[in-house]
Amino acid sequence: MSTNKIIVANWKMKLPYKKAAPLLKKFSSIKFSPTVQVILCPDFITLPLASNILKKSKIKLGAQDAALADRGAYTGEVSPVDLKDLGVAYIILGHSERREYLAESDALINQKLKAVLAVKGLIPILCVGDKVRGKNPKTILFKQLAGALKDIKLAPSQSIIVAYEPVWAIGTGRVVTNSEVTLAHLLIKGFLTKRFKPSQSRVIYGGSVDAKNSANFRDILVVNGLLVGGSSLNSKDFLTICRNVLK
Ligand code: PEP
């Protein structure tokens, strides 16, 4: 059976390291549907532990960021090559919290994307999103996509995931309407299919998804999956979300 939904758990920096092992063990014992690909993204220091605990599970490992180069004098950064060697398969790039608090620009995200794509087997999850509800999402999304994807070519075996994450909906409890999600996804997919084969890109949604509202997303055909922040730290809620998007 082929996987038809991607569900990314972004633990951000919310979980104390001391509490990571029990939660990882809970996740590794969950029997997720084979039609869902779960990607768990803990913080950097939790990755080795996660790699070890999840090695027999179907959950794939993701990182929340990566350096803009594979090696060199980049104090505080983590090489995408080392992430791959640790068992990481996906890298979130351009998350709105990094754009906001660390002033990450589209140009920097573009460099990071290139560094990630240079490592065989790594798949980037590029986050884009408008800040103010209803304020020209097309212009903002296209600017972010054009900047991040500048000069990027995908080899036939490569693919990219783009997460549409309206900033006004992240961690705020404000929920998008189906038509807002559909419009943004169609815009993003349209942009991507001008550059890559349709099968090389998938578009997922993120922003205040929880156990209660997750069922809203299952009928929106253009949504290839979800990126879940806060609610992904509760294994029961996360499982409910994974089930709801399939029903
Ligand atoms: C996120 O971390 O990208 C996110 C969508 O967070 P939340 O689900 O908490 O809004």
Side-chain angles (χ1 to χ4, degrees):
M1 207 181 295
S2 70
T3 299
N4 57 18
K5 293 282 178 192
I6 301 157
I7 314 285
V8 183
N10 177 18
W11 282 2
K12 312 194 190 214
M13 197 187 70
K14 289 197 166 195
L15 188 71
Y17 181 71
K18 284 183 199 156
K19 295 191 178 167
L23 191 56
L24 285 163
K25 282 179 195 153
K26 266 192 197 159
F27 268 72
S28 76
S29 67
I30 297 175
K31 297 260 171 298
F32 292 104
S33 159
T35 57
V36 163
Q37 178 58 67
V38 173
I39 303 167
L40 181 65
C41 305
D43 59 17
F44 281 133
I45 62 160
T46 307
L47 280 171
L49 183 69
S51 176
N52 191 27
I53 293 178
L54 299 176
K55 62 177 176 262
K56 288 200 183 113
S57 93
K58 295 255 158 53
I59 298 173
K60 299 269 190 207
L61 205 52
Q64 297 176 14
D65 188 37
L68 54 82
D70 59 358
R71 196 68 59 205
Y74 297 97
T75 303
E77 294 297 296
V78 179
S79 165
V81 174
D82 294 336
L83 290 169
K84 172 76 196 331
D85 287 348
L86 194 62
V88 167
Y90 295 84
I91 314 268
I92 297 176
L93 292 174
H95 192 280
S96 61
E97 287 151 11
R98 298 192 65 83
R99 291 179 191 257
E100 176 76 15
Y101 306 131
L102 297 156
E104 284 206 0
S105 63
D106 292 323
L108 176 61
I109 295 160
N110 174 253
Q111 280 182 287
K112 291 185 174 191
L113 252 175
K114 286 175 181 159
V116 165
L117 286 168
V119 183
K120 204 168 170 242
L122 282 183
I123 300 180
I125 303 172
L126 169 67
C127 299
V128 294
D130 41 333
K131 266 194 178 168
V132 183
R133 190 170 203 168
K135 215 173 168 197
N136 217 349
K138 182 177 174 182
T139 311
I140 292 157
L141 294 175
F142 280 15
K143 182 178 168 288
Q144 290 177 350
L145 288 167
L149 297 173
K150 190 168 183 274
D151 300 328
I152 287 196
K153 291 192 173 54
L154 295 180
S157 62
Q158 287 184 308
S159 66
I160 180 169
I161 297 169
V162 173
Y164 170 57
E165 299 214 297
V167 180
W168 49 266
I170 297 181
T172 60
R174 294 172 76 192
V175 182
V176 278
T177 62
N178 287 12
S179 55
E180 282 170 327
V181 177
T182 304
L183 173 68
H185 273 62
L186 290 175
L187 287 170
I188 293 169
K189 192 68 187 177
F191 187 101
L192 296 170
T193 43
K194 282 197 183 131
R195 295 177 174 229
F196 314 123
K197 286 194 192 128
S199 60
Q200 288 183 298
S201 70
R202 281 163 298 171
V203 187
I204 62 176
Y205 170 77
S208 292
V209 175
D210 61 23
K212 284 200 190 117
N213 65 29
S214 47
N216 295 349
F217 298 95
R218 74 169 166 249
D219 298 325
I220 313 178
L221 293 177
V222 288
V223 174
N224 298 138
L226 298 171
L227 196 161
V228 187
S231 297
S232 70
L233 287 132
N234 178 315
S235 59
K236 256 194 182 164
D237 284 356
F238 188 71
L239 180 59
T240 304
I241 293 168
C242 291
R243 288 189 172 141
N244 279 348
V245 288
L246 291 177
K247 268 184 208 155

